[in-house]
Amino acid sequence: MLEPFFRWCESTLIGQAVANSVWAFPILEAVHLLGLCLLGGALLVVDLRMLGVGLTGQSVSRLARHARPWLVAALVVMVATGIPLFLSESIKAYYNTSFWVKMATLPVALGFTFGVRERVARNEGMEPGPRCKVIGAVSLALWFTVAAAGRWIGFS
Amino acid sequence: MIERFLGWLGETPWSVALLESLYAWPLVESTHVLTLGLFVGATIVMDLRLTGLAFRDVPVQAFTGRLLPWTHAGFIVMTVTGLLLLYSQPLRYYHNVFFRVKVLVMVVAGINAFVFHRGAHRHATTWGADAIPPRAARIAGTVSLAAWALVVVTGRLIAYNWFDCDIQPQPGWVNWLAGCEAVTE
């Protein structure tokens, strides 16, 4: 049912421009990876703290407040590069299980991060309780799934 | 001589098996890429603190003390998986322009980290709590950010064979950089 839409995506100006260029896809990929690095750092520093390791001398709320703009910046970079990457090979993506795993997990991870994790982290101090630890672990698991499925798009 | 060694290494059964495997190679490669989030991610966070751009009221020693072990763990995983990938196609990577630039930039990043830890960081007790660290620390953070970004970009581009020795003609400097003379002549 969605296939015509994916065909249209690939026929768009951006999709065709990226698909027909030698350098565009690799460069977008590389910047997408740089976004992944920043995203990893901004997430881990808080998730690890929520789990009770890493920067244990600082409160969870302070680290989360500092990390937030970098987390948002990383996501902006990833989406801004991810969309043209997708447009350049939408039909391949349509038939790719990893792509669908990633697209199913991504909104869950985003909703969890900004809906649940942020609210809890904001009010958490020096001694994260069990609830906080679970949230840190779930955040890591969700984003790991998004990243792993994302990498696997290229292999499957 | 190094060519002969790498040629031999690439023909060892384990190297061939790794390269031709259905799952092992992709899993090693995926681990290498995903660990970027840990290794380069933790490095970025610390570098941003050193430049004074982020985490200004968190002392620098908190990062070099509590976060660095995680960075080191990431580095070990990156090294092991990276060496395995190199082992799967030694001669090809040896002549890959992006691989060569990547190795050079990693050496620069290593020297930069060494200089920082032997220099400015030794007096971190005096400036570690400052919102904006001293010049030497800011420079170390900036060099590290730029170097690791370049390592990530060149690392990703290793996958492309644009400048490989068997793709000719190439400009002279490309063949020089890739060390192709021995192959083409």
Side-chain angles (χ1 to χ4, degrees):
Chain A
M1 189 187 81
L2 279 169
E3 207 212 357
F5 171 69
F6 279 68
R7 286 195 182 280
W8 174 81
C9 284
E10 193 158 326
S11 73
T12 55
L13 208 62
I14 297 175
Q16 284 304 298
V18 175
N20 293 325
S21 158
V22 175
W23 284 89
F25 193 91
I27 295 299
L28 286 165
E29 270 272 14
V31 179
H32 199 63
L33 270 185
L34 289 175
L36 171 89
C37 295
L38 183 59
L39 183 70
L43 282 170
L44 275 170
V45 75
V46 179
D47 283 342
L48 289 177
R49 179 67 188 89
M50 292 181 98
L51 285 166
V53 291
L55 297 174
T56 43
Q58 315 299 316
S59 70
V60 174
S61 61
R62 171 186 286 189
L63 289 177
R65 181 164 44 83
H66 281 299
R68 193 178 190 278
W70 301 96
L71 176 66
V72 174
L75 287 170
V76 168
V77 171
M78 299 223 69
V79 173
T81 49
I83 288 173
L85 285 171
F86 161 73
L87 291 175
S88 78
E89 49 174 30
S90 313
I91 298 166
K92 178 194 159 189
Y94 179 78
Y95 291 104
N96 189 305
T97 311
S98 301
F99 171 79
W100 288 107
V101 172
K102 180 177 183 178
M103 286 310 130
T105 325
L106 181 59
V108 178
L110 283 171
F112 184 81
T113 301
F114 293 102
V116 180
R117 178 182 178 266
E118 183 168 309
R119 273 174 220 199
V120 172
R122 200 187 294 155
N123 302 313
E124 205 72 34
M126 294 301 289
E127 299 291 335
R131 188 183 63 154
C132 190
K133 288 185 179 174
V134 170
I135 286 169
V138 171
S139 168
L140 281 178
L142 282 172
W143 287 109
F144 174 82
T145 309
V146 174
R151 181 60 198 94
W152 213 260
I153 293 172
F155 288 132
S156 50
Chain B
M1 200 184 82
I2 192 161
E3 307 239 351
R4 277 181 57 198
F5 169 71
L6 294 176
W8 166 82
L9 193 65
E11 281 167 17
T12 54
W14 284 82
S15 170
V16 176
L18 179 58
L19 184 64
E20 292 176 354
S21 66
L22 194 56
Y23 290 112
W25 198 91
L27 282 172
V28 171
E29 210 278 347
S30 300
T31 309
H32 194 67
V33 172
L34 262 65
T35 310
L36 278 177
L38 172 62
F39 171 62
V40 181
T43 303
I44 288 175
V45 168
M46 198 165 96
D47 290 339
L48 287 174
R49 175 62 186 98
L50 287 179
T51 57
L53 283 170
F55 300 94
R56 286 187 178 182
D57 58 3
V58 180
V60 168
Q61 296 96 314
F63 291 96
T64 50
R66 297 289 190 145
L67 197 62
L68 212 51
W70 294 89
T71 319
H72 290 159
F75 183 77
I76 290 168
V77 177
M78 293 306 279
T79 307
V80 170
T81 51
L83 286 174
L84 280 171
L85 293 172
L86 177 61
Y87 173 58
S88 76
Q89 268 179 305
L91 210 48
R92 185 186 164 236
Y93 292 136
Y94 176 70
H95 283 295
N96 184 291
V97 169
F98 299 113
F99 176 78
R100 291 181 165 213
V101 175
K102 177 181 173 177
V103 171
L104 278 177
V105 181
M106 283 198 292
V107 171
V108 172
I111 293 170
N112 178 61
F114 180 80
V115 168
F116 170 70
H117 283 278
R118 282 299 163 100
H121 185 250
R122 291 177 78 172
H123 318 288
T125 40
T126 56
W127 58 265
D130 296 354
I132 313 274
R135 202 176 139 89
R138 296 202 307 272
I139 291 174
T142 310
V143 171
S144 177
L145 281 172
W148 288 113
L150 196 56
V151 168
V152 172
V153 172
T154 49
R156 181 62 189 87
L157 294 180
I158 290 172
Y160 296 90
N161 66 349
W162 304 324
F163 303 123
D164 278 10
C165 293
D166 54 357
I167 311 274
Q168 298 292 342
Q170 299 279 359
W173 66 271
V174 169
N175 282 331
W176 173 78
L177 199 58
C180 287
E181 275 87 357
V183 181
T184 49
E185 278 169 28

